[in-house]
Amino acid sequence: MKPTRRWSPGRILAWSFLAVFLLATIFPFYWMIRTAITPAADLYHDSSSLLPQQPTLINFTRVLGLTTEAEARAAGGSGARLDFGRYLLNSVIYCGLIAGVQTLLCSMAGYAFARLRFPGRDLTFTLLVSALMVPPIFTLLPNFILVKQLGWINTMAGMVAPTILMTPFAVFFLRQFFLSLPRDVEEAATLDGVGPWGMFWRVAMPMSRGPLITIGLTTTVWAWKDFLWPLLVGRGEEHRLVTVALGVFLQQSPNTQPDWTGLMAASTLSVLPVLLLLVFLGKRLVQSLSFTGGK
Amino acid sequence: MGQLRQRDDRRVAWWFVAPVLVGFAIFYAYPAARGIWYSLTDYTMLGTPSFVGAQNYSDLISDRQFWSSMLVTAYYVLLNVGSQTLLALAVAALMHRLTSSVVLRATLLLPWLVPNVTIGLLWMWLLDTNLGLVNHLLRAVGLDTVGFFTDATWAMPAIAGINTWAYTGYTALLLYAGMLQIPQHLYESAAIDGAGELRIFAKITLPLLRPVLALVLVVTLIGSFQIFDTVAVTTKGGPVSATRVIYYFIYQQAFSYFHMGYAAAAAVFLALVLGVFTFVQLRLLRASSSDLA
């Protein structure tokens, strides 16, 4: 990007700072994996060497529920049933549902607010965006009571309910993008007899792949990180998400010390899917940040 | 022709916005109204709420735990926003002048992708009093072991540090994206004038970044006020009440003591505080997204 410059002390200092920052960012993840492949007993006499003396996969198999209770107990577990495979699947379903449906519905609304003319449009939009002003904690308590009254505690419906239909930010963001679409493409399509639905599906959506992926990805990441709401609504084993399961796992320690090797194995599993997302969509993900600016 | 199209729009448009409007009505507008109503009642989630007027609010004002939570939150916000913004600004400025590597940017984004619960656990392990790596290193250089989550002095800085670690890269990328919008020719002419890097940062980067910086600062501030996950995993508000932030206070009132009305009143209070910042954010967002077109 820049013309080549000679290595000055300042430049070396600058690069060193970046390198240290990068190392500090990555090292804890390395330590997480390192602990995950360490036998529990080794933690007491080998807690600081960079590599484990006897690497093992037992911590992964036991948090995935693939070992017997006795084996898990012998490896430092509490013997409580753990099934991170299932929790991972629950999290994937949760994220997929929210990201997929929400992106579709919000883009429909965003399109209408940007491109269609109907009475009350601006008022409705202002009303929707005003929801941005309401902090989540404010709607959390009444929403919990509502979901409870609907009998949706410990159901996927209850878990996705408040977010699946819309996120004000997504509507706001997508409308902003649809506003910028060139008029003449639309006019040409109108002459070809394309109606509003066709215009949305066959013209506007294909032209908006970038922003749609941005919103979809961001929504997926936030949903993956969700904790408090799934903790309240999906505490039960059947619909428990990875984040909630991690919290529960922490409580079930057999000794005075938490089951660190097991916890780190489970933590590694919770990072794996988003890591894959980063590896395969890293460029997209990084670029999307410059789009969303704030969220 | 034009007439025909407009009639078409009108009929179809409501179908486009209907699902989102239903979502807004059921899960935003209705709960907001209900939240205000609950804040005026005594409600344990069993039976029906009984109206108590402004009782919850006057209790709140004289509740020392509530004020300590607000104070603890303010302390956290100050620590976290300060360190995160300064560090991110430095990282972004260096990247801007040194490299546009996507690998570097992806690595910076990594902690942001990870659930706060995982991050909390990870650092609980790194900072563990007996077996944690950090205390091991402290002992190795002859220092005393620190109970990061059990010592009231250290607990909040530890949590602020964890979240700074988790979100600085993300913030840096937002600021970096803002820096990329600054016209390149300004830097070129500054280089011709022989201006030093610090001078370039102070005279070009910082002033032109101000709108983006303001937005990022406000967003970080709003986010920091709502810290919960990390506290829930690591300290549960303790030791004593050293890390009982306002979100955790509300959570406890609602789901440990079942004081729904009281919790709702505290949530109204927090919403008012956050509303001020959110209003500013919305203004900044509108201003910055108008360049999007």
Side-chain angles (χ1 to χ4, degrees):
Chain A
M1 185 166 114
K2 237 134 260 124
T4 44
R5 264 189 258 166
R6 274 184 292 109
W7 286 94
S8 60
R11 256 173 97 76
I12 293 168
L13 197 72
W15 273 111
S16 316
F17 180 86
L18 270 187
V20 168
F21 188 81
L22 215 58
L23 192 71
T25 304
I26 296 173
F27 185 78
F29 290 110
Y30 169 74
W31 200 247
M32 171 179 79
I33 297 167
R34 185 262 182 221
T35 308
I37 56 170
T38 304
D42 281 5
L43 283 189
Y44 292 89
H45 54 81
D46 176 32
S47 58
S48 63
S49 74
L50 274 179
L51 286 169
Q53 315 251 293
Q54 290 170 301
T56 172
L57 287 178
I58 179 82
N59 299 313
F60 285 98
T61 50
R62 72 185 169 89
V63 298
L64 285 168
L66 302 174
T67 54
T68 63
E69 211 182 292
E71 283 174 314
R73 217 182 289 256
S78 68
R81 216 176 73 77
L82 281 173
D83 192 355
F84 268 85
R86 181 191 205 140
Y87 310 141
L88 280 169
L89 187 67
N90 285 343
S91 281
V92 169
I93 294 172
Y94 176 79
C95 290
L97 269 177
I98 290 179
V101 178
Q102 189 195 285
T103 306
L104 175 68
L105 297 182
C106 289
S107 58
M108 277 166 57
Y111 178 78
F113 285 126
R115 297 309 239 187
L116 302 176
R117 255 172 282 157
F118 57 99
R121 180 183 72 175
D122 294 341
L123 184 71
T124 319
F125 179 70
T126 310
L127 201 68
L128 275 180
V129 170
S130 72
L132 274 172
M133 306 261 303
V134 183
I137 187 82
F138 190 57
T139 46
L140 182 107
L141 303 178
N143 267 335
F144 174 75
I145 294 167
L146 177 66
V147 163
K148 197 168 183 285
Q149 286 167 346
L150 288 169
W152 283 359
I153 296 293
N154 279 325
T155 65
M156 193 48 92
M159 285 161 73
V160 300
T163 28
I164 198 166
L165 290 179
M166 80 140 180
T167 291
F169 179 79
V171 180
F172 174 81
F173 173 79
L174 290 168
R175 169 182 174 268
Q176 217 65 25
F177 180 80
F178 286 128
L179 277 176
S180 71
L181 287 179
R183 277 269 172 217
D184 43 353
V185 182
E186 243 180 8
E187 273 156 22
T190 310
L191 289 177
D192 289 343
V194 177
W197 279 111
M199 199 76 81
F200 171 69
W201 276 115
R202 288 185 281 140
V203 181
M205 287 296 263
M207 287 175 80
S208 321
R209 209 167 290 157
L212 287 172
I213 293 176
T214 295
I215 281 293
L217 275 178
T218 324
T219 311
T220 308
V221 173
W222 283 115
W224 190 261
K225 289 153 70 107
D226 269 351
F227 175 63
L228 180 52
W229 180 258
L231 172 75
L232 295 173
V233 178
R235 218 188 269 263
E237 170 82 16
E238 215 172 313
H239 295 96
R240 200 177 285 167
L241 301 188
V242 168
T243 47
V244 178
L246 281 172
V248 174
F249 188 11
L250 180 64
Q251 314 299 322
Q252 303 172 329
S253 296
N255 315 308
T256 44
Q257 276 284 341
D259 171 8
W260 287 120
T261 54
L263 280 167
M264 289 303 110
S267 298
T268 308
L269 289 176
S270 80
V271 177
L272 221 55
V274 279
L275 197 65
L276 289 177
L277 209 68
L278 189 66
V279 169
F280 290 110
L281 293 164
K283 207 162 179 181
R284 192 89 247 183
L285 212 61
V286 166
Q287 280 167 350
S288 70
L289 276 186
S290 48
F291 263 125
T292 47
K295 186 92 197 272
Chain B
M1 184 79 196
Q3 272 294 351
L4 192 76
R5 220 195 126 213
Q6 264 197 28
R7 210 179 307 135
D8 245 349
D9 280 2
R10 195 172 296 206
R11 205 182 49 215
V12 167
W14 288 106
W15 287 110
F16 274 88
V17 294
V20 159
L21 278 183
V22 169
F24 172 76
I26 301 178
F27 295 108
Y28 285 87
Y30 175 59
R34 251 179 123 171
I36 293 169
W37 160 245
Y38 287 136
S39 78
L40 302 171
T41 66
D42 197 355
Y43 184 34
T44 57
M45 263 200 290
L46 297 168
T48 47
S50 58
F51 185 76
V52 293
Q55 187 64 46
N56 286 326
Y57 290 95
S58 62
D59 286 352
L60 212 53
I61 287 170
S62 54
D63 185 347
R64 286 182 56 189
Q65 294 199 348
F66 169 72
W67 288 112
S68 115
S69 293
M70 287 305 288
L71 217 62
V72 163
T73 311
Y75 180 42
Y76 167 79
V77 169
L78 224 62
L79 284 177
N80 188 52
V81 174
S83 58
Q84 198 176 308
T85 314
L86 286 176
L87 207 54
L89 197 59
V91 171
L94 291 177
M95 263 168 68
H96 183 48
R97 304 297 287 155
L98 292 174
T99 172
S100 58
S101 155
V102 171
V103 176
L104 175 73
R105 282 188 278 166
T107 313
L108 289 180
L109 197 58
L110 179 60
W112 175 72
L113 294 167
V114 176
N116 293 327
V117 176
T118 309
I119 286 170
L121 277 176
L122 177 51
W123 280 94
M124 254 180 108
W125 166 228
L126 280 162
L127 298 176
D128 185 72
T129 316
N130 302 313
L131 298 175
L133 184 67
V134 173
N135 271 315
H136 191 91
L137 294 175
L138 286 179
R139 277 193 296 268
V141 296
L143 290 171
D144 282 340
T145 301
V146 179
F148 287 101
F149 299 113
T150 48
D151 184 331
T153 322
W154 281 102
M156 198 38 113
I159 288 175
I162 293 171
N163 281 3
T164 297
W165 174 83
Y167 286 94
T168 297
Y170 174 72
T171 309
L173 287 175
L174 295 181
L175 293 174
Y176 175 75
M179 288 176 187
L180 290 181
Q181 289 166 13
I182 300 173
Q184 188 62 34
H185 68 83
L186 292 176
Y187 289 99
E188 278 151 18
S189 49
I192 292 166
D193 292 347
E197 287 295 333
L198 280 178
R199 211 179 137 75
I200 289 177
F201 178 75
K203 296 283 176 195
I204 301 175
T205 309
L206 208 51
L208 290 171
L209 190 68
R210 202 176 294 153
V212 178
L213 188 62
L215 180 61
V216 169
L217 207 62
V218 173
V219 170
T220 313
L221 194 80
I222 294 171
S224 298
F225 259 101
Q226 306 183 48
I227 178 183
F228 175 81
D229 305 356
T230 318
V231 169
V233 171
T234 56
T235 61
K236 299 204 175 308
V240 195
S241 58
T243 61
R244 198 211 284 122
V245 288
I246 186 67
Y247 239 71
Y248 204 79
F249 175 85
I250 295 173
Y251 170 80
Q252 273 187 323
Q253 290 296 332
F255 301 104
S256 302
Y257 314 135
F258 302 106
H259 296 157
M260 271 294 165
Y262 196 55
V268 169
F269 185 90
L270 181 62
L272 289 177
V273 174
L274 284 179
V276 178
F277 296 117
T278 314
F279 182 73
V280 176
Q281 179 203 358
L282 229 52
R283 296 296 291 268
L284 292 168
L285 204 61
R286 261 183 216 281
S288 75
S289 64
S290 60
D291 328 322
L292 203 85

